[in-house]
Structure formats: structure tokens, C-alpha cells
């Protein structure tokens, strides 16, 4: 009994999913997103570390309404994601810090900037060894730090700098490497 206890104590304790197959540490993704009733797309890079966590950066673009093509908006985010099973597969929860930037295309000096954050939850699936698909939903809120009342006369036209809780949905097609 004493030898068996010593042998068990000498082995490292592993997560039950860590031995299934090694996962690449990096993921690049293309997202189809909605913010409130506005559609857009995003580019995301994530780096897995410390077992069940990944750190990522995201750039999002939201399409302007018809007739408002001169009013452009981008969102830059840093996110920390916790994966329940292991990175890149299964359920996950994410928190992000965002900088939103809305500007007039013909006069870029007319711009508004907002800081904010959000939380997301979702599920990711393996398609192949390196390709994956994920769906997430969450909520985001921002606070305007530099206002441009000349261009953001209507809150709905400056969705990335809107001071309100905005629902966010994303479908991400990712490549792991």
C-alpha cells in the first residue's frame, strides 16, 4: 500500500481533456457579427495559454445604414476567454475591453471615441484538425470619451459609440495554427 501511494503521488495531475490531442496555440478567425440590429464583420486573433484560457484581439466593422455611408465605425477589443473543456472546443465565456471609433469618411477629424466592455458566452465545434466554427452571444456597453455631436446626431447611426447596452451575436470561422 505504501509503494502504490508513493507512485501515485509522483505522477503529475492532468486535466482529463489534455491527453486527447494536442491543440495548436494560435487561432485566426473571421466573424460575422450583429450589434443590435446592425450587421458587420470582424477579424480576431487568439492565443491559448495556461490550459483553459486564451487572450485575443479583435477588429470589428459595422455596416452603416443606407444613406449614411460616410459615417464609418470600427471597434477594437482585447478579450480574455475561459474555455470549459479546452481551448478552441466546447463552451466558453469571454470578457472584453473595447475602444469604439466612429468618424466621417470625408472629414476624419469629425470623430467620436468610446470606451467599453462586454461579456460573451458561446460554443465552439471542430470541423477538421485545424478548422473550427463558433457561435457566441453577449452584451456590450460603452461610454463616450470624445463626442462628435456634428456626426452622431442619432444614437442609432453611431452604434460603436452608443452609450447603451447593445446585444452582440457572432458566428466565427477559425483556423488554428
Amino acid at each position: 500500500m505504501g509503494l502504490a501511494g508513493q507512485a501515485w503521488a509522483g505522477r503529475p495531475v492532468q486535466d482529463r481533456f489534455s491527453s486527447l490531442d494536442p491543440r495548436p496555440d494560435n487561432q485566426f478567425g473571421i466573424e460575422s457579427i450583429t450589434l443590435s440590429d446592425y450587421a458587420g464583420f470582424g477579424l480576431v486573433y487568439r492565443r491559448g495559454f495556461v490550459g483553459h484560457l486564451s487572450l485575443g484581439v479583435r477588429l470589428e466593422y459595422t455596416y452603416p445604414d443606407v444613406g449614411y455611408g460616410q459615417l464609418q465605425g470600427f471597434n477594437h477589443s482585447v478579450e480574455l476567454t475561459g474555455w470549459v473543456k479546452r481551448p478552441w472546443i466546447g463552451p466558453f465565456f469571454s470578457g472584453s475591453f473595447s475602444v469604439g471609433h466612429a468618424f466621417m469618411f470625408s472629414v476624419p477629424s469629425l470623430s467620436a471615441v468610446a470606451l467599453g466592455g462586454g461579456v460573451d458566452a458561446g460554443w465552439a465545434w471542430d470541423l477538421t484538425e485545424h478548422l473550427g466554427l463558433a457561435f457566441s452571444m453577449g452584451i456590450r456597453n460603452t461610454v463616450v470619451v470624445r463626442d462628435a455631436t456634428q456626426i452622431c446626431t442619432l444614437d442609432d447611426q453611431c452604434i460603436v459609440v452608443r452609450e447603451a447596452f447593445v446585444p452582440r451575436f457572432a458566428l466565427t470561422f477559425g483556423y488554428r495554427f
Side-chain angles (χ1 to χ4, degrees):
M1 180 70 175
L3 293 176
Q6 289 175 352
W8 175 257
R11 283 190 248 153
V13 177
Q14 290 188 352
D15 179 286
R16 66 182 181 176
F17 297 105
S18 63
S19 62
L20 291 177
D21 62 328
R23 293 274 157 185
D25 288 335
N26 302 293
Q27 183 188 54
F28 176 77
I30 298 173
E31 294 183 320
S32 174
I33 64 167
T34 63
L35 286 175
S36 187
D37 5 336
Y38 293 86
F41 71 93
L43 301 174
V44 61
Y45 169 77
R46 293 183 179 108
R47 170 83 177 161
F49 68 98
V50 192
H52 295 271
L53 295 176
S54 67
L55 184 65
V57 292
R58 185 172 49 228
L59 173 65
E60 296 174 345
Y61 171 74
T62 308
Y63 305 121
D65 269 352
V66 175
Y68 291 90
Q70 292 291 324
L71 189 55
Q72 301 294 314
F74 290 93
N75 193 46
H76 321 275
S77 300
V78 175
E79 67 177 14
L80 181 64
T81 304
W83 299 85
V84 174
K85 291 183 178 180
R86 56 194 166 134
W88 323 138
I89 189 167
F92 62 90
F93 301 93
S94 180
S96 63
F97 171 75
S98 303
V99 177
H101 185 213
F103 62 96
M104 183 74 114
F105 186 74
S106 57
V107 187
S109 60
L110 291 178
S111 64
V113 177
L115 300 177
V119 292
D120 291 306
W123 194 279
W125 298 270
D126 272 343
L127 298 177
T128 67
E129 184 179 345
H130 291 281
L131 297 177
L133 183 68
F135 173 75
S136 63
M137 59 184 159
I139 195 161
R140 178 185 294 164
N141 191 15
T142 60
V143 175
V144 174
V145 293
R146 187 174 81 194
D147 203 2
T149 54
Q150 304 93 334
I151 61 169
C152 293
T153 55
L154 302 172
D155 281 342
D156 288 342
Q157 301 311 321
C158 291
I159 192 69
V160 295
V161 294
R162 185 176 177 186
E163 288 188 323
F165 285 98
V166 177
R168 179 185 183 279
F169 297 91
L171 182 65
T172 307
F173 182 72
Y175 176 75
R176 297 181 301 268
F177 58 97

